[in-house]
């Protein structure tokens, strides 16, 4: 969950968001249908974001845009929406329905990019 004061005070490379991104691990598992008690772990692979500085620069720009938007709006976390950011977004945590909490989420396009770069 995003703490407004913490986000405003924390640059990207010191952030919890960066900590999460740099520790991504992919686990490929066979899918054998709903309620199937058996599955097989096919592979486990980490991803090094530092290999693609263009992608990291764009993710950092998203983070800084969201951070600046929060600063501009005096820490009002309700001003952050899922529309902010190309690769990451700060949107309502969970299903929404009136909640004011926000969390960072990777957009689908980011996951697709990671899969392509990592040849998953």
């Amino acid at each position: 969950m995003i703490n407004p004061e913490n986000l405003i005070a924390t640059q990207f490379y010191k952030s919890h968001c960066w900590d999460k991104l740099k520790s991504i691990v992919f686990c490929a598992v066979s899918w054998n249908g709903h309620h199937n008690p058996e599955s097989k772990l096919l592979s486990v692979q980490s991803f090094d974001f530092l290999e693609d500085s263009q992608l990291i620069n764009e993710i950092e720009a998203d983070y800084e845009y969201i951070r600046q938007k929060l600063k501009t709006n005096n820490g009002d976390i309700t001003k952050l929406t899922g529309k902010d950011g190309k690769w990451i977004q700060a949107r309502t945590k969970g299903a929404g329905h009136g909640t004011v909490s926000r969390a960072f989420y990777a957009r689908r396009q980011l996951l697709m990019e990671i899969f392509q770069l990592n040849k998953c």
Side-chain angles (χ1 to χ4, degrees):
M1 190 164 56
I2 295 174
N3 175 308
E5 296 82 21
N6 189 35
L7 178 58
I8 289 171
T10 307
Q11 294 179 349
F12 178 67
Y13 289 107
K14 303 276 186 196
S15 71
H16 183 68
C17 180
W18 172 241
D19 286 342
K20 290 288 191 182
L21 284 170
K22 69 181 182 180
S23 65
I24 288 178
V25 174
F26 295 98
C27 299
V29 178
S30 65
W31 186 75
N32 299 312
H34 290 289
H35 309 295
N36 191 319
E38 294 185 29
S39 63
K40 182 179 179 183
L41 181 62
L42 302 173
S43 70
V44 177
Q45 194 167 1
S46 63
F47 180 75
D48 185 1
F49 274 103
L50 298 178
E51 292 177 9
D52 186 358
S53 63
Q54 178 65 30
L55 180 58
I56 283 301
N57 289 338
E58 290 179 11
I59 294 170
E60 180 183 12
D62 283 354
Y63 177 89
E64 293 300 333
Y65 172 81
I66 292 165
R67 184 174 169 228
Q68 187 58 46
K69 185 174 182 180
L70 195 58
K71 280 182 187 179
T72 301
N73 289 288
N74 298 314
D76 184 357
I77 202 158
T78 64
K79 300 295 184 187
L80 302 180
T81 72
K83 295 178 184 178
D84 301 328
K86 175 182 176 181
W87 299 108
I88 60 173
Q89 58 186 172
R91 62 177 169 86
T92 55
K93 186 174 170 125
H97 305 293
T99 183
V100 295
S101 64
R102 300 288 187 273
F104 279 108
Y105 290 85
R107 290 188 178 275
R108 183 175 186 265
Q109 302 94 298
L110 176 57
L111 298 178
M112 299 297 285
E113 186 73 17
I114 291 169
F115 292 149
Q116 287 178 347
L117 291 171
N118 213 33
K119 299 180 182 31
C120 293

